Amino acid sequence: MTDSPIDNPVQPEHRVQIEYCTQCRWLPRAAWLAQELLTTFETELTELSLKPGTGGVFIVRVNDEVVWDRREQGFPEPTAVKKLVRDRVAPEKSLGHSDK
């Protein structure tokens, strides 16, 4: 017996990419942010990747849209990134104390 589309609706794919500078040794920061996002959006995200880069880059993308760029906004607080991700992948989701 196969699942019908009604029994198993197709969920939209939501991908997050964190591009970080290897020269600056920002992997731990990127990995920590990735862990925060995966914990918060464990059912909403279909993929989260870490992309090594150079030149001081630290960029967060959701479905290929840049939502945070360190060069323009400084380093993000996890709460700020969670709100930006939530607005794109699960607008109805409460972030609890992070929403305040």
Side-chain angles (χ1 to χ4, degrees):
M1 180 179 207
T2 61
D3 289 334
S4 73
I6 295 171
D7 295 334
N8 189 10
V10 174
Q11 296 297 320
E13 291 194 6
H14 295 295
R15 297 176 323 279
V16 172
Q17 179 189 76
I18 302 171
E19 184 176 0
Y20 65 95
C21 180
T22 57
Q23 296 166 316
C24 302
R25 307 239 183 258
W26 288 339
L27 173 59
R29 186 185 296 255
W32 176 67
L33 183 57
Q35 177 183 327
E36 288 288 316
L37 293 173
L38 287 169
T39 300
T40 302
F41 301 103
E42 55 189 11
T43 60
E44 292 86 3
L45 296 181
T46 54
E47 179 182 332
L48 192 146
S49 64
L50 299 176
K51 180 180 178 182
T54 58
V57 68
F58 196 93
I59 298 174
V60 180
R61 294 179 181 90
V62 178
N63 298 328
D64 298 322
E65 175 192 356
V66 174
V67 297
W68 197 279
D69 187 335
R70 182 201 63 83
R71 288 187 179 131
E72 296 173 12
Q73 299 155 287
F75 276 110
E77 290 295 322
T79 300
V81 175
K82 286 179 185 182
K83 287 179 182 178
L84 292 166
V85 171
R86 185 265 319 267
D87 292 349
R88 285 152 180 84
V89 305
E92 71 289 343
K93 184 179 183 80
S94 170
L95 296 176
H97 69 278
S98 294
D99 268 336
K100 297 189 180 359

